[in-house]
Amino acid sequence: MRGQTSVGAFTIETLEPTTALPFSARILICAAGASRRMAPHDKLMLPVKGQPLLRHVAKQVLALKLTTHAALPAKPHPRWDALAGLELSMAAYGDSAEGLAGTLRAAVADLPASVTHLCVVLADLPDIQTQDFDAVFEQVKAHPDALIWRPLGPKGQPAHPTVFHRSTFAAFASISGDRGAQSVIETFRGALHEFSATNGAGSYDIDTLEEYQAYLAHTNR
């Protein structure tokens, strides 16, 4: 059953608990960044388990069998080739030049009206696994009155993947800068459900060559 309430200027829908997924979910892989901190290397093209990091993350996502979309830099770019042959859609957004907020703003505006939940994940998380997505969707089912579901890492830090209910989508139209969806989360702070992740995969990202080398040394890969 559905109900309605409001947060600030936004009218929101709520769902009562059900044993099945009561929503139409889409996963967004954010992979349009310039990788400036690792220049001249592209961090998403660095090998992880014998394939580019971007493709490795995408395969973890696709194991969920949910509709998946990747935001990429404009063609021509090697990241398009890295995802070739996978069952997902890809697009480049001019707004991505602004940063993550621009990518999110454009990608959310591009969503079909049928999508009720958007699961956002960054592409630079080498340890992210399919079960990390399963865990957040279990939280969505268990806490249907929330509008944002976000795991927390071992030190209590925000992690990925994060799920947004469509009642938050309108707020993405006004985000900007380099803070991603933080302003959306702040707007709906009262409807944010956070939970402790079972591992640190969603909070361990790679931004520099030193971090990548440390990752390889730690994992012996």
Side-chain angles (χ1 to χ4, degrees), residues 98-122:
E98 176 188 320
L100 180 57
T103 295
L104 291 171
R105 188 175 63 240
V108 170
D110 199 30
L111 288 173
S114 59
V115 174
T116 62
H117 292 68
L118 178 66
C119 179
V120 176
V121 66
L122 302 182

Side-chain angles (χ1 to χ4, degrees), residues 18 46 48 62 87 92 99 104-106 122 129 150 153 157 169 175 182 185 191:
T18 176
L46 293 173
V48 171
L62 291 173
E87 294 185 8
L104 291 171
R105 188 175 63 240
L122 302 182
Q129 300 178 56
R150 180 171 69 178
Q157 71 274 41
F169 292 173
I175 65 174
Q182 189 57 39
I185 294 172

Side-chain angles (χ1 to χ4, degrees), residues 17-29:
T18 176
T19 55
L21 292 181
F23 44 78
S24 172
R26 173 171 292 203
I27 299 179
L28 172 65
I29 302 174

